[in-house]
Amino acid sequence: MISKRRLLWAGMPASAGAAVEELIGAHVIRAQSCPGGFSPGFASRLTLSNGRRVFVKAMNAQRWPLEAVTYRTEALVAAARPAQVPAPRFLKTLDDGHWTVLAFEDIDGTTPSQPWDRASLDRVAAAVVQLT
């Protein structure tokens, strides 16, 4: 199943779903697809059987090799990011040559409206100032 050309949890190949669940250490009981972003990969907020929530993005690296490079780079940057950076905590990654998977803590928030409104722009500008 595809949403905005994104793979949905229900459409994940069984082996990929099992790899994601092994990486995050629990079974997925609910998946909320995140339609924003630029890649055709899987991106969802997952509720787990142990009560935790995580954000996971996964890319079929054999089908999308150039896009998978961006996921691999993101994993390297996220792993090196200082803890004081106000961003979702990077949890783990998996790269078996077929699937590239990144797991982050899931935080409350929303995607900016399209077109952006003044409140969304102000929040992003404040976050950029905080990052500097």
Side-chain angles (χ1 to χ4, degrees):
M1 304 176 99
I2 303 291
S3 166
K4 190 195 156 206
R5 297 191 37 119
R6 280 203 189 279
L7 185 62
L8 301 177
W9 180 254
M12 286 280 274
S15 61
V20 167
E21 289 184 329
E22 183 174 336
L23 179 72
I24 58 180
H27 293 290
V28 173
I29 59 171
R30 183 173 177 267
Q32 178 186 356
S33 183
C34 300
F38 300 100
S39 78
F42 171 84
S44 286
R45 300 172 79 171
L46 304 177
T47 302
L48 309 180
S49 58
N50 61 11
R52 290 178 38 234
R53 292 183 345 196
V54 296
F55 171 71
V56 171
K57 48 196 301 187
M59 174 70 61
N60 180 331
Q62 292 178 340
R63 182 170 181 201
W64 304 98
L66 296 178
E67 290 84 350
V69 170
T70 64
Y71 275 36
R72 292 176 177 128
T73 301
E74 181 179 359
L76 292 171
V77 170
R81 187 178 57 221
Q84 67 269 25
V85 172
R89 189 169 53 93
F90 179 64
L91 302 174
K92 296 179 179 181
T93 188
L94 164 79
D95 191 347
D96 65 6
H98 188 165
W99 285 91
T100 302
V101 181
L102 288 78
F104 295 86
E105 71 175 330
D106 183 47
I107 60 169
D108 291 327
T110 60
T111 305
S113 60
Q114 297 292 322
W116 282 39
D117 59 29
R118 184 64 194 200
S120 294
L121 181 60
D122 289 345
R123 281 194 308 272
V124 170
V128 170
V129 168
Q130 185 180 9
L131 284 171
T132 59

